[in-house]
Amino acid sequence: MPPRGSTGATAAGPANQRIDLVFENNRLASALYGEFDQNLALVEKRLGVDARARGNMVTLSGSAGAVGQARRVLESLYDRLLEGHELAKGDVEGALRMAEIAEAQLSLPTLDESSRMRLARISTRKKSVSARTFTQDAYIRAMDRCELVFGTGPAGTGKTYLAVAFAAAMLERGEVDRIILSRPAVEAGERLGFLPGDMKEKVDPYLRPLYDALYDMMASERVERGLQSGAIEIAPLAFMRGRTLAHAAIILDEAQNATSMQMKMFLTRLGEGSKMIVTGDPTQIDLRPGEVSGLVEATALLEGVEGIAVTRFKGEDVVRHALVQRIVAAYERQPPASGRRTD
């Protein structure tokens, strides 16, 4: 069987190149190009190439480097379609972002010997998500490799969403018996008593981002059954003391608002057969003046320890919206004069 994206190259000038990519499945080729060829137009705009589609063949022309990047983008997106997944605009943006810096990252496991992009991916029965930046790629691979993973960085980089997606995938595969979601429930103190309702009702507002990611990756009835049976547990950070968490995927979100003592307590809950993922943004600390952020302290102390990985996201890893990336970059250049939160 011929390769999915076979190529033929001819010189189009001393610094230019032209290649033909042939995709075997006409229906998937049409999905690859996008409605009114919008995906090809985006590739042209971002990479500075000319992309012309005729049936199931795309001719790319431009500088050799740009043509190589465009080829990797289209081949990786076609691979995703072959696996039965749909293409969203974010998938195209992510593939472009990866390709734009791939030539400087040839040693990373995201490229095979032929420079074909192999992006880290998390799949459940409901949904599959792929890395959209090299940092996300490293983060997913770290979660697969290490028992304890820290993901730090600004809002919109996917650190919490990918952690929940990974936990959901582990639960579906039977690698863990339960998912435990934890978070400092009330910033700077966790004062839960004044809130109405039972424990779940008290902490639900603070754990909404985690719930959203769960419902995105798993069928709603599966999530509801898990919450009722205890396979999915909500455990406020203040209530974790004294427990040993075995055979579980454990996530601590907004960890920058855990004190040093709370963080040490939480990390030492890790039990046999468990995976622990800690996420937070060190620039958005809401602790009282003089209190040390447990996240900042822990990442400084534990980076390099066997079995522990620290992944640091930056402004360029923001995947929510191009404008959010520019907002984060502006704040990084000039921290706000008052207040510390930006989301």
Side-chain angles (χ1 to χ4, degrees), residues 172-246:
E172 281 197 353
R173 294 194 299 263
E175 296 176 7
V176 295
D177 297 332
R178 54 184 172 154
I179 296 173
I180 298 174
L181 306 176
S182 187
R183 193 176 186 183
V186 177
E187 292 144 337
E190 299 189 357
R191 293 182 290 274
L192 302 178
F194 68 94
L195 293 173
D198 60 19
M199 181 55 62
K200 181 177 181 298
E201 291 170 328
K202 287 175 184 287
V203 300
D204 271 2
Y206 305 101
L207 294 165
R208 196 71 256 168
L210 302 178
Y211 278 122
D212 290 344
L214 269 178
Y215 281 105
D216 204 27
M217 296 301 298
M218 302 173 70
S220 58
E221 58 271 17
R222 176 70 178 87
V223 176
E224 295 299 332
R225 286 199 307 270
L227 290 168
Q228 292 173 8
S229 68
I232 300 173
E233 180 184 350
I234 308 303
L237 179 57
F239 288 54
M240 296 287 286
R241 190 175 301 278
R243 303 183 62 185
T244 298
L245 307 175

Side-chain angles (χ1 to χ4, degrees), residues 92-114:
V92 182
E93 290 279 2
L96 282 164
R97 189 182 295 110
M98 298 287 276
E100 286 170 337
I101 57 175
E103 291 184 5
Q105 304 286 344
L106 290 177
S107 62
L108 290 182
T110 48
L111 297 180
D112 64 16
E113 293 179 356
S114 65

Side-chain angles (χ1 to χ4, degrees), residues 110-123:
T110 48
L111 297 180
D112 64 16
E113 293 179 356
S114 65
S115 295
R116 193 180 187 91
M117 289 197 298
R118 298 296 185 194
L119 310 183
R121 182 173 298 168
I122 302 169
S123 296

